[in-house]
Amino acid sequence: MVCSLVLAFVLLAHKPPSLASLPTLHDEPTTQWRSGPVRYILKAREDEKYRALKTEAERRAFIEQFWRNLDPTPDTPFNETRDEFWRRVNLAQALYHDSVYPGWKTARGKIYILLGPPHGIDLNSQRHFIPRRAPGSPLACGWETWTYRGVTIR
């Protein structure tokens, strides 16, 4: 289905950390790999298979095959899909680091990783105040509307 996709997210009023201050995320053949950003594109049967692996060598081979299957140009040494995925993850880390969550775990981070940069972003110029549950001043919030054109949703 091809459609114009508009997404709205709450924009918290704080400055995100710089890209240099965050660790670079990439593939590590650990048991937690499947729980990281790759979970957004990992299929259920792939997840089951990965969970059953016992050694680092098995996990490393699985990860390499996983990315090989997604490579649009398998006859070249460069995997564009893998590179773009981790580039987006690391940008999401820097751009959308809200509260205690890493950038890739936020709603904006997930959408950025899956769809890339939006074609348009509308920022709400009004500020609304939401009372905090903890002592202190209210939290100033606004929102962003992201627009994607020609996105295929499966």
Side-chain angles (χ1 to χ4, degrees):
M1 166 172 119
V2 177
C3 66
S4 177
L5 180 64
V6 177
L7 303 167
F9 298 99
V10 174
L11 174 62
L12 298 176
H14 82 283
K15 184 180 178 185
S18 71
L19 188 56
S21 69
L22 295 169
T24 300
L25 297 177
H26 57 281
D27 292 312
E28 288 292 331
T30 65
T31 55
Q32 294 80 30
W33 175 80
R34 56 174 280 282
S35 300
V38 77
R39 71 183 179 189
Y40 298 146
I41 59 173
L42 193 65
K43 295 178 180 160
R45 69 182 183 285
E46 293 168 329
D47 183 52
E48 287 176 29
K49 187 175 178 181
Y50 191 82
R51 283 187 283 141
L53 301 175
K54 301 295 182 209
T55 68
E56 182 178 316
E58 290 174 327
R59 289 188 293 269
R60 186 178 309 282
F62 177 94
I63 290 169
E64 290 304 316
Q65 185 60 49
F66 171 80
W67 288 113
R68 228 180 340 270
N69 292 342
L70 296 175
D71 191 351
T73 56
D75 296 332
T76 65
F78 183 70
N79 186 327
E80 298 83 355
T81 301
R82 187 179 197 173
D83 184 64
E84 180 64 12
F85 177 82
W86 288 110
R87 186 186 71 75
R88 289 179 185 181
V89 167
N90 287 298
L91 279 171
Q93 280 293 94
L95 298 172
Y96 309 118
H97 191 271
D98 296 335
S99 68
V100 298
Y101 299 107
W104 69 266
K105 278 190 173 182
T106 65
R108 289 182 294 164
K110 180 179 180 178
I111 297 301
Y112 187 88
I113 291 165
L114 294 173
L115 301 179
H119 292 100
I121 299 176
D122 290 325
L123 299 174
N124 176 9
S125 60
Q126 293 182 317
R127 286 293 193 209
H128 302 279
F129 291 95
I130 300 171
R132 290 183 185 221
R133 291 181 185 218
S137 61
L139 180 64
C141 293
W143 66 82
E144 292 181 1
T145 302
W146 288 13
T147 306
Y148 288 87
R149 290 183 286 291
V151 174
T152 301
I153 308 249
R154 297 177 195 168

